[in-house]
Amino acid sequence: MKENKKQNWRSKLHIIIYEADTPKGKLFDVVLLFAIIASIVLVMLESVEWIDNKYHDILDISEWIITILFTIEYIARIVVVKKPIKYITSFYGIIDLLSTIPNYLTLFFAGSPPLVAFRALRLLRVFRVLKLTRYIGESTNFVRALKASRAKITVFLFFVVILCIILGTVMYLVESKESGFTSIPRSVYWAIVTLTTVGYGDIAPITPLGQFIASIIMIMGYGIIAVPTGIVSSEMTKVSKKDVQTNTQSCPSCASEHHRDDAEFCHQCGHKL
Amino acid sequence: MKENKKQNWRSKLHIIIYEADTPKGKLFDVVLLFAIIASIVLVMLESVEWIDNKYHDILDISEWIITILFTIEYIARIVVVKKPIKYITSFYGIIDLLSTIPNYLTLFFAGSPPLVAFRALRLLRVFRVLKLTRYIGESTNFVRALKASRAKITVFLFFVVILCIILGTVMYLVESKESGFTSIPRSVYWAIVTLTTVGYGDIAPITPLGQFIASIIMIMGYGIIAVPTGIVSSEMTKVSKKDVQTNTQSCPSCASEHHRDDAEFCHQCGHKL
Amino acid sequence: MKENKKQNWRSKLHIIIYEADTPKGKLFDVVLLFAIIASIVLVMLESVEWIDNKYHDILDISEWIITILFTIEYIARIVVVKKPIKYITSFYGIIDLLSTIPNYLTLFFAGSPPLVAFRALRLLRVFRVLKLTRYIGESTNFVRALKASRAKITVFLFFVVILCIILGTVMYLVESKESGFTSIPRSVYWAIVTLTTVGYGDIAPITPLGQFIASIIMIMGYGIIAVPTGIVSSEMTKVSKKDVQTNTQSCPSCASEHHRDDAEFCHQCGHKL
Amino acid sequence: MKENKKQNWRSKLHIIIYEADTPKGKLFDVVLLFAIIASIVLVMLESVEWIDNKYHDILDISEWIITILFTIEYIARIVVVKKPIKYITSFYGIIDLLSTIPNYLTLFFAGSPPLVAFRALRLLRVFRVLKLTRYIGESTNFVRALKASRAKITVFLFFVVILCIILGTVMYLVESKESGFTSIPRSVYWAIVTLTTVGYGDIAPITPLGQFIASIIMIMGYGIIAVPTGIVSSEMTKVSKKDVQTNTQSCPSCASEHHRDDAEFCHQCGHKL
């Protein structure tokens, strides 16, 4: 009976922590979201020197409160869930662990900042908590289109990288070293900065020939940027056309398909759908 | 009878101020538009130091003339309209008020510039005055497509912000502080500048590892920029297709419209078209 | 008879100068194109100080040769054409005149560079000479799509300008003057540089609040850039769909339309088209 | 019989080198790919001064090992293939030769770097080796769309270049020379940097008029960038639609394919589907 009670208590907590349909579950998610945002703002403020100097103690204490809260949450998640191993090895499980660890490490080592970056990853939870994907509308279509585009865009970006290596090498040979093209890796970096139209200007060609080649690269970049956009656009148009305008219902009389969603009669034989 | 006359006078003024179909109404709108542009040019010129030093008195007097004109216009709008409260609380009503106030405040306080920005918002009236939306063509479709895209693009931009926070934190840990990555907020700012391909160059990575990660961010940005474009393109194509693929024929039996071009029977009542 | 001969000579020259289908006409066009390119290269080289110092005489003589050739061409075009007034007042006629004048003016005034810019406009002839528009494929569709997009894009760009004025004013109030935001016009210039993702970096925010607002502007710009692309894409898709995939032929038996271009039989009733 | 054996040996080697379906062929391709990447990394590292100073001997020896391996591979390819001339004069054949030569030249001349750029071109083999094109999906459609777009985009980029020459000349006349607009070629370079939204900031207008014209150029560039994207998007949508809107059903009478989804009769022979 005690076991049953405990079970009951666990399933209640499970609903609060893992589901967001009950008022309590919603409250938990919102509080968690604010805690995540607070933890990130904290890490950000700590990195600003003058703030850290002035409010070091307050920041330190807040940091520990957040860390302990996250630790409790992490343990609660493990306790409550039926298959803890599955949660621990899941994407969110690993992120949850990694975002609690860094502060504990500071007890043993002086400053272990590299892991704080994982805390920002917790922000991805915002999509789950706020159910933002709901706003995407026909999200399955959207995701399907992105997946169909992904492979093509990967190949495209791969091609862009090779192009940048070639163009960077050429620019290294052409440009004088005073203008920043001191090595091939740096020149390749410059080619990427240019082709993607970012254009910092920390490295910029100064010789006429270098500027001429740079102009060609820029105009190429202007034309090339159309390719990924074209891929995504066409995939999305294709996907949205399939599903939105017609449905999969087939006419009981003539078996014609692709009727409009609001059609009540078959557009081929006039039979009632 | 006097009341009636006054009523008459009000309705005449109402037509001039709020409608643009009569010659007088058109003239009023054009004069207003020029006054708005003049007021913005004035504010701009005042902000240029050497112009302000040289022509301070002329600018000051012109400023007061414009302010008084705008005040008269604002009062006239309230007097003339039937439901003044509705106008006062409307978007344009608030902007109209806020763009007259700042100059009066200078009488009591020395310099109250923050409100002058609202004057620029009055420029939005240009769309109403010039009826520019008419040029957009099937503007309802256009607006419908933008609205359908808005939610998706908001989620997308939200995702971009989270990505920039993560990438900014990583770069803060990787890059040396001499190159401008002095705090996480600044690094996040840099990540946004880079991912959106703006690329000021005020902060730029100088270490090889930093430049390598920056290259990856840029190439990601090059691929990611395709997503919002794809969303808007596909929505617009979808919306415009609805009209292209259906015809203007209305059913002789039930008068429903938007039949497919190749439909032989009404999709609502099954009547032969 | 002499008159007739002269007429004959004029019509022959007319074919050479204005048409490009005969070998001589083709040769004339190609020679003209090279002369135009040479004239532009000359103007460019003259503007480079060390080249002008070293080869001043050669450049000057070449410049005069080109100018005289262009003058002869201009006179020949007037003599040969039937309606000289129409040519003189046409777009190309005015450009042809303006690109010959500047050098003559140097005889009377010391240096009259502003008009040399018109010479570059002659390069537009390259489209006519090389018949490049032919490569555009269904160019009428292409042009029609651009025209349909033009109005929408103009309104869009107008909206962007107003947005930049508002954002520029806000940034002027927010940012310190040390970072380059010395006046509202300069701030508006910065807003345009940022929103269009050009990002020179000559003016860049340095205060945290300024960088925060700048980040919002950049992310907005990232989303906004999708709009013109969406407009053009959807117009082009719409136009290309109408004409390429189906023709205007209607079935003689059942009068159904939108058959495939290669269809030989009606897809609705099977009747021979 | 010895001849036969040799033939056998050649055909075996042919399968290993030129085909990737057998385990040995796959291994060869992967080893080759790593050798190419290693060779490029080597060239990159040699160009970094402090690395070259420290590890000059190791890099030099590695370079010779790679060169000899590539030479053996090149000879093997010639020996094994049936039509050696065809291979030697092919795109990959020329690249393979040019990427082995530079190191041999260093024996006779002191430093012959210009040819090392060709080694990066060998990276294009990655597409063949990894069969990346397979990921593009309906790659024939993809390539067809790009080819159809290429002509239009070339004309478009040509137009952009002419526009940049005109705008560059105008800016040279308008801007003061202190801000970097020292010659027309440099101004044209600036116009390209600006219109393509790269925006280095090494040359930037400082006079109010120059900044005003620059603003117009940027806003134009913002609108113009939509054109190539629109071209590619519409071509891709067109191409992908051809496949989507038609089905895989083949006519029972004439076996023609690509019927419309709603077709009831074959569009080639009129037979009932």
Side-chain angles (χ1 to χ4, degrees), chain A residues 40 43-44 47-48 113-114 116-117 120-121 123-124 126-127 132 135-136 138 142 146 156-157 161 186 189 192-193 195-200 202 221 224-225 228-229 232-233 236-237 240-241 244-245 258 260 262-270, chain B residues 151-152 155 158-159 162 165-166 169-170 172-173 182-185 188 190 194 197-201 203-205 211 214-215 218-219 222-223 225-227 229-231 233-234 237-238 241-242 245-246 258-260 263-270:
Chain A
I40 289 161
V43 171
M44 282 190 170
S47 75
V48 184
V116 297
L121 277 172
L123 265 185
L124 289 174
V126 83
F127 288 107
L132 278 174
Y135 290 111
I136 300 176
E138 318 94 27
F142 182 77
L146 280 188
F156 167 75
L157 293 182
V161 170
R186 269 180 78 87
Y189 164 72
I192 293 171
V193 168
L195 203 78
T196 57
T197 76
V198 172
Y200 286 133
D202 51 348
I224 287 175
I225 205 170
T229 314
V232 175
S233 293
M236 286 199 177
T237 307
S240 72
K241 194 165 52 205
V244 174
Q245 294 218 325
H258 295 288
R260 287 184 45 161
D262 55 352
E264 288 174 21
F265 294 91
C266 174
H267 62 80
Q268 291 293 339
C269 68
Chain B
K152 285 184 195 175
V155 174
F158 206 85
F159 172 75
I162 291 177
I165 292 175
I166 296 168
T169 311
V170 170
Y172 168 72
L173 302 169
T182 50
S183 67
I184 292 180
V188 171
W190 170 85
T194 300
T197 76
V198 172
Y200 286 132
I203 312 169
Q211 293 185 337
S215 301
M218 279 173 240
I219 289 186
Y222 204 55
I225 205 169
V227 176
T229 314
I231 294 168
S233 294
S234 88
T237 309
K238 198 159 73 183
K241 197 165 48 205
K242 260 183 200 158
Q245 290 209 333
T246 60
H258 295 289
H259 297 97
R260 286 183 46 160
E264 289 174 20
F265 296 90
C266 174
H267 62 79
Q268 290 295 339
C269 68

Side-chain angles (χ1 to χ4, degrees), chain B residues 154-187:
Chain B
T154 307
V155 174
F156 167 76
L157 293 182
F158 206 85
F159 172 75
V160 167
V161 170
I162 291 177
L163 196 67
C164 286
I165 292 175
I166 296 168
L167 295 172
T169 311
V170 170
M171 281 301 279
Y172 168 72
L173 302 169
V174 161
E175 259 295 317
S176 75
K177 296 201 173 156
E178 283 89 60
S179 54
F181 296 82
T182 50
S183 67
I184 292 180
R186 269 181 76 88
S187 299

Side-chain angles (χ1 to χ4, degrees), chain D residues 211-254:
Chain D
Q211 293 185 338
F212 182 72
I213 295 172
S215 300
I216 293 169
I217 296 175
M218 281 172 236
I219 290 188
M220 272 171 58
Y222 204 54
I224 286 176
I225 206 170
V227 176
T229 315
I231 294 168
V232 175
S233 294
S234 87
E235 286 297 337
M236 287 198 176
T237 307
K238 200 160 73 183
V239 157
S240 72
K241 197 166 49 207
K242 261 185 200 155
D243 287 358
V244 173
Q245 290 210 333
T246 60
N247 53 32
T248 55
Q249 187 184 18
S250 66
C251 176
S253 165
C254 70

Side-chain angles (χ1 to χ4, degrees), chain D residues 13-38:
Chain D
L13 210 61
H14 184 274
I15 290 167
I16 292 173
I17 295 179
Y18 284 94
E19 277 157 55
D21 299 328
T22 59
K24 276 183 186 170
K26 222 169 205 165
L27 186 71
F28 176 82
D29 277 345
V30 170
V31 169
L32 178 63
L33 198 60
F34 275 100
I36 293 170
I37 292 169

Side-chain angles (χ1 to χ4, degrees), chain D residues 4 25 42 50 59 66 71 75 108 145 211 225 260 263 269:
Chain D
N4 191 21
L42 263 179
W50 68 267
L59 290 173
I66 294 265
T71 312
I75 292 165
F108 307 102
Q211 293 185 338
I225 206 170
R260 287 183 46 161
C269 68

